């Protein structure tokens, strides 16, 4: 009789001494990472650091060429040094050749993008499909394909069917899903020391291979007297954990931004409100900072794909609130333009304000500090709106300039914060980089044409900027400190 796996009682498990020693007895599997973007490159590099033999593959030959010579194609603190060390140790290689990947790997991790489809809210799974169909025909022995990309529930089953279509059954290729929770800017730490592992598996073999593929993570935890919680579950739950987590985080951010709107209407201060709320452990203070809202390559597209998938499954009602979460988030971007008009004495008509003749310095282009990622960045979206309203905009970001230039090539990009603010009528801080948070308002005041600042992240010291003669506007905060 075929019993379901994992057994229903599996729930939250730690690798037991028995499973640990069973996996310790087997050789460490050789790992491949398919797609070497923010997720895949970080994983490939960090798992080599954990002692695995690793091969990364990408269709972008320029990216592979860079990685091969020790250049990380993204900005992620600490990753450069680890890449160089592991290339030198001979544990880490990169290729564009799927034959090599099939030949090399025992466990293949799918790390390709799952962006929003151009024609709707669903996830575009074409990259996942191509990755699977490029790999599978070359496989000549039993191996495990593990999805790490964020996908709609049901994708792992579909990948299993794809594998069945493209690989001879006698090879016994298996599929598992292990969603990823890393945060850009903290990715090295998150990969080496994850706060949990979620393993969606159907067989004891897939389970033990996944544990073996993470043995380095468990070994590191033991040396640091830590435990890594492991949730062993079915495909659907594993996929849902990731989309549910992102839906929750997006909701928390939009909740406090909705409170910011109410504060703006009533004269309250959302920063103090958030502080007071955060002392309640049931609420917690993380992700409770009002500002320009969430962005990046995950939360916006993931909450939309989640709604689209729930609709397909007949559970659309359950996630209708995520539409509101998205709307609140988009309204924060418009709010900055309203504040700009207000500070610059321009009226805000039905088509927005006319900001012609005004010079605006935008500090920040990335969707958050610690990364060069500008995908769906609130900072860039606001910048685009300001430029469309006729303002002359100068942008500066410590790490995101190259990517921002690709997105918005027609803007002026400054070499430094000082260059950006020189002669500006208004300064907008739209990414909370330390360089901006701790900037000296007196020194910057000497460079600008008008001392007006919008603090899009409520990250500046309002009292200090006001004392230095700046007209300050935060998000959901009164105009005086
Ligand atoms: N970036 C994050 O912080 C993060 C965190 C958790 C989960 N995720 C999820 O991980 C996935 C990847 O995200 P990302 O930010 O790394 O995307 P990315 O765009 O940075 O990287 C994807 C990479 O896959 C490559 N690729 C595309 N098709 C390929 C193919 N057929 N074969 C080999 N390589 C191919 C691309 O060239 C690119 O380098 C997404 O599903 C995302 O939602 C991302």
């Amino acid at each position: 009789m075929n019993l379901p796996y994992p057994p229903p009682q599996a729930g939250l498990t730690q690798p037991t001494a028995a499973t640990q020693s069973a996996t310790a007895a087997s050789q460490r599997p050789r790992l491949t990472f398919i797609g070497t973007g923010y997720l895949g490159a970080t994983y490939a590099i960090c798992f080599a650091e954990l002692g695995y033999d690793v091969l990364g593959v990408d269709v972008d030959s320029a990216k592979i060429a860079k990685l091969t010579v020790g250049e990380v194609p993204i900005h992620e603190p600490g990753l450069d040094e680890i890449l160089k060390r592991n290339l030198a140790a001979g544990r880490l290689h990169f290729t564009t050749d799927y034959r090599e990947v099939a030949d090399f790997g025992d466990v293949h991790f799918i790390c390709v993008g799952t962006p929003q489809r151009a024609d709707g809210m669903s996830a575009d799974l074409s990259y996942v499909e191509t990755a699977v169909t490029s790999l599978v025909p070359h496989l000549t022995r039993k191996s495990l394909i593990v999805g790490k990309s964020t996908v709609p529930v049901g994708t792992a089953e579909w990948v299993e069917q794809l594998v069945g279509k493209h690989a001879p059954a006698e090879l016994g290729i298996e599929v598992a899903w292990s969603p990823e929770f890393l945060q850009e800017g903290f990715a090295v730490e998150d990969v080496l020391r994850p706060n949990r592992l979620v393993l969606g598996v159907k067989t004891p073999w897939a389970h033990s291979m996944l544990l073996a593929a993470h043995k380095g993570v468990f070994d590191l935890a033991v040396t640091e007297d830590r435990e890594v919680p492991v949730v062993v579950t079915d495909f659907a739950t594993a996929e849902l954990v990731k989309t549910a987590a992102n839906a929750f985080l997006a909701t928390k951010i939009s909740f406090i931004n909705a409170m910011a709107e109410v504060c703006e209407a009533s004269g309250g201060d959302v920063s103090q409100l958030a502080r007071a709320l955060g002392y309640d452990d049931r609420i917690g203070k993380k992700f409770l900072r009002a500002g320009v809202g969430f962005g990046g390559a995950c939360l916006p597209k993931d909450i939309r794909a989640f709604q689209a998938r729930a609709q397909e499954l007949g559970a659309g009602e359950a996630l209708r609130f995520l539409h509101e979460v998205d709307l609140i988030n988009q309204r924060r971007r418009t709010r900055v333009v309203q504040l700009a008009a207000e500070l610059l004495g321009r009226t805000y008509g039905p088509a927005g304000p006319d900001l012609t003749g005004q010079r605006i310095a935008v500090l920040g282009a990335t969707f958050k500090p610690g990364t060069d990622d500008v995908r769906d960045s609130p900072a860039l979206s606001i910048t685009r709106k300001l430029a469309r309203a006729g303002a002359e905009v100068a942008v500066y970001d410590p790490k995101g300039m190259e990517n921002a230039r690709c997105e918005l090539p027609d803007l002026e990009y400054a070499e430094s914060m000082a260059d950006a603010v020189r002669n500006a009528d208004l300064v907008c801080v739209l990414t909370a980089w330390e360089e901006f948070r701790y900037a000296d308002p007196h020194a910057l005041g000497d460079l600008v044409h008008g001392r007006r600042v919008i603090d899009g992240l409520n990250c500046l010291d309002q009292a200090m900027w006001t004392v230095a003669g700046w007209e300050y506007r935060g998000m959901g905060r009164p105009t005086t400190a």
Side-chain angles (χ1 to χ4, degrees):
M1 185 177 73
N2 268 344
L3 289 173
Y5 194 88
Q9 71 275 19
L12 181 64
T13 65
Q14 299 284 342
T16 58
T19 40
Q20 282 279 35
S21 62
T23 53
S26 66
Q27 277 285 79
R28 282 194 177 200
R30 301 209 294 182
L31 311 180
T32 80
F33 292 90
I34 301 175
T36 55
Y38 284 86
L39 170 65
T42 310
Y43 253 86
I45 295 166
C46 289
F47 270 60
E49 177 75 358
L50 290 170
Y52 290 93
D53 285 325
V54 170
L55 182 62
V57 61
D58 206 290
V59 287
D60 182 341
S61 51
K63 212 171 257 189
I64 290 299
K66 276 190 167 183
L67 285 161
T68 304
V69 296
E71 280 175 43
V72 179
I74 53 170
H75 171 72
E76 189 57 53
L79 205 52
D80 261 79
E81 201 187 303
I82 309 177
L83 169 64
K84 290 193 177 76
R85 188 160 60 233
N86 285 282
L87 285 173
R91 278 191 295 272
L92 180 58
H93 296 90
F94 295 95
T95 185
T96 52
D97 182 354
Y98 267 100
R99 267 174 227 278
E100 222 182 297
V101 177
D103 193 42
F104 178 90
D106 303 307
V107 179
H108 304 280
F109 287 97
I110 300 174
C111 304
V112 296
T114 48
Q116 185 176 341
R117 284 172 62 114
D119 61 357
M121 300 212 303
S122 341
D124 178 354
L125 293 177
S126 62
Y127 300 95
V128 173
E129 182 171 10
T130 310
V132 173
T133 54
S134 305
L135 170 71
V136 171
H138 299 298
L139 293 172
T140 53
R141 65 178 191 280
K142 185 172 176 72
S143 52
L144 182 67
I145 298 176
V146 184
K148 283 211 85 64
S149 302
T150 304
V151 292
V153 59
T155 303
E157 293 284 350
W158 167 71
V159 166
E160 205 176 47
Q161 287 162 20
L162 266 183
V163 171
K165 250 195 240 169
H166 293 273
E170 60 271 21
L171 290 185
I173 310 296
E174 292 198 25
V175 171
W177 217 266
S178 179
E180 179 50 41
F181 305 97
L182 70 81
Q183 306 167 73
E184 288 177 23
F186 304 93
V188 170
E189 187 63 15
D190 288 347
V191 171
L192 294 177
R193 297 177 180 81
N195 52 22
R196 81 281 215 193
L197 292 174
V198 176
L199 312 180
V201 290
K202 278 193 178 172
T203 67
W205 181 79
H207 184 181
S208 68
M209 280 302 274
L210 263 179
L211 287 181
H214 289 89
K215 184 174 182 308
V217 171
F218 299 124
D219 288 350
L220 178 64
V222 168
T223 65
E224 295 172 348
D225 203 17
R226 281 183 296 111
E227 287 192 348
V228 182
V230 182
V231 179
V232 184
T233 186
D234 51 77
F235 283 3
T237 310
E239 292 162 324
L240 283 168
V241 172
K242 175 64 188 179
T243 41
N246 277 357
F248 186 85
L249 295 173
T251 303
K252 201 168 175 193
I253 296 171
S254 277
F255 170 81
I256 200 64
N257 281 330
M259 295 307 108
E261 288 189 35
V262 177
C263 284
E264 280 151 13
S266 61
D269 185 335
V270 77
S271 297
Q272 290 184 30
L273 176 77
R275 217 174 117 225
L277 289 175
Y279 286 124
D280 185 334
D281 286 345
R282 294 170 304 174
I283 297 174
K285 60 178 190 275
K286 288 189 178 162
F287 274 60
L288 211 59
R289 181 188 281 274
V292 290
F294 55 82
C298 291
L299 295 193
K301 60 113 173 141
D302 288 347
I303 61 165
R304 290 173 202 147
F306 199 13
Q307 290 170 77
R309 185 64 184 135
Q311 193 72 37
E312 285 167 8
L313 293 168
E317 289 281 319
L319 298 188
R320 194 164 281 177
F321 71 96
L322 287 178
H323 179 60
E324 205 54 53
V325 165
D326 207 355
L327 290 180
I328 294 166
N329 196 52
Q330 296 301 323
R331 279 205 296 276
R332 289 289 83 188
R333 300 177 182 193
T334 314
R335 172 69 183 161
V336 175
V337 183
Q338 285 169 344
L339 285 174
E342 187 186 310
L343 274 172
L344 294 167
R346 299 291 171 99
T347 49
Y348 197 100
D354 178 2
L355 300 178
T356 312
Q358 299 295 316
R359 186 170 169 80
I360 300 180
V362 168
L363 300 182
T366 55
F367 82 96
K368 66 174 188 177
T371 180
D372 61 351
D373 197 346
V374 300
R375 291 176 289 182
D376 205 350
S377 160
L380 274 199
S381 154
I382 293 162
T383 304
R384 191 182 285 116
K385 289 180 199 292
L386 293 169
R388 279 201 191 131
E392 188 190 317
V393 184
V395 182
Y396 169 71
D397 186 283
K399 297 290 175 196
M401 301 287 267
E402 205 181 314
N403 287 338
R405 256 197 206 101
C406 294
E407 286 273 317
L408 296 178
D410 297 333
L411 295 182
E412 179 185 331
Y413 290 91
E415 292 291 313
S416 65
M417 175 167 63
D419 281 351
V421 304
R422 193 163 285 117
N423 298 323
D425 298 292
L426 169 67
V427 175
C428 297
V429 177
L430 300 182
T431 312
W433 287 101
E434 283 195 3
E435 184 181 351
F436 309 148
R437 284 166 55 198
Y438 302 117
D440 176 357
H442 294 279
L444 289 187
D446 291 341
L447 299 174
V448 296
H449 183 245
R451 294 188 180 199
R452 303 179 192 94
V453 64
I454 295 176
D455 179 3
L457 292 311
N458 291 346
C459 63
L460 305 178
D461 183 331
Q462 181 176 0
M464 201 165 90
W465 282 72
T466 309
V467 167
W470 289 75
E471 224 182 317
Y472 171 98
R473 292 286 186 284
M475 305 297 283
R477 305 179 84 180
T479 50
T480 50

